Amino acid sequence: MNSYTASLRGKIWKILLGVYRVSASEYLKFVSKRKSKFYDKIKNDGFRTLRTDEKFKQKVTDNMIVRLLNAFVWSKEKEKIVSDVNCNFTYVQGMNVIAAPFLYVLPEMEAFYAFSTFIQYYCPLYVHSSLIGAHAGAKLLDICLEIIDPELYNHLTKNQLTAEIYAFSSILSFCACTPPLQELLCLWDFLFAFGVHLNIIFVIAQMIIIREELLNEKNPYHKLRNFPNLNSKLIIAVSISLIPKIPKDIYTKIVNHTHDYKTVEELLK
């Protein structure tokens, strides 16, 4: 396991997320367990995590990702999700990408507790077995885009493009699927300080930044298949300007959709 000292960013993330307890003996207990039933999938996903980022691969090994995620599965084996959804935590698509930034800014053991806290208390419905929180996030993105920029929304829908098609990975991973990592870390600074629900606004902001290019594309999916590299300062600035345009009742749904089943159920019915 890596033994480097937590970065200042990592320490601040722990404070913002409310991670006040870590236990080496507990983590080692989970690590020492046999391979979980998700081990093969975790190992395969771990190998592909931020594969093109050299700085990340120099600092975070595949084994670290696999250990943390396999330990997470064992640690939550008998726990229920923190909502009124009656299901167990397990390993689901996208967890490897969410774990990656934590491992980059924190030693492995501390990253495990920060990641676990984030998943359990901040976005539990994103790791529901059917990813219902992220699907609800896609629905909210469509609703908000139609309000904020009807022209762009109509252009996309005419091309049969909904957020479920072009933005699901960005929503599920809290933008961690888009490089570069250093810009993502700045976005997560903002999310942890002001609310992880703002990720929906971040994704809309990325689209507003390239709206003219999208509008000029006969098939905008080619442009949306891979979002442009993150520019954290610009994304945050645009996001702040967009928030007042969102009706209060819709914004409340954005705040709640990561953890409140009733909100998600209403959005997806």
Side-chain angles (χ1 to χ4, degrees), residues 69-85:
L69 294 172
N70 196 62
F72 176 80
V73 172
W74 284 120
S75 72
K76 302 302 179 187
E77 185 184 23
K78 296 181 180 179
E79 291 187 15
K80 297 297 181 183
I81 200 163
V82 182
S83 74
D84 53 1
V85 181

Side-chain angles (χ1 to χ4, degrees), residues 144-194:
C144 291
L145 184 61
E146 184 176 16
I147 294 168
I148 292 168
D149 194 332
E151 183 182 8
L152 179 56
Y153 173 80
N154 290 331
H155 180 60
L156 295 178
T157 53
K158 284 178 182 177
N159 285 274
Q160 299 182 324
L161 290 175
T162 64
E164 189 79 26
I165 295 172
Y166 64 79
F168 189 76
S169 294
S170 292
I171 293 169
L172 181 62
S173 69
F174 294 88
C175 294
C177 63
T178 305
L181 178 58
Q182 290 300 325
E183 293 296 309
L184 173 74
L185 299 180
C186 295
L187 288 182
W188 278 26
D189 292 343
F190 194 88
L191 286 182
F192 294 164
F194 296 102

Side-chain angles (χ1 to χ4, degrees), residues 69-136:
L69 294 172
N70 196 62
F72 176 80
V73 172
W74 284 120
S75 72
K76 302 302 179 187
E77 185 184 23
K78 296 181 180 179
E79 291 187 15
K80 297 297 181 183
I81 200 163
V82 182
S83 74
D84 53 1
V85 181
N86 186 25
C87 71
N88 292 324
F89 278 105
T90 186
Y91 179 76
V92 297
Q93 170 193 351
M95 275 191 177
N96 57 308
V97 181
I98 295 174
F102 289 108
L103 283 165
Y104 189 77
V105 303
L106 286 164
E108 184 179 322
M109 181 188 68
E110 295 181 43
F112 167 79
Y113 284 98
F115 168 81
S116 299
T117 298
F118 177 68
I119 292 294
Q120 184 170 353
Y121 295 105
Y122 292 86
C123 59
L125 294 183
Y126 274 47
V127 296
H128 182 281
S129 59
S130 59
L131 310 178
I132 55 176
H135 288 297

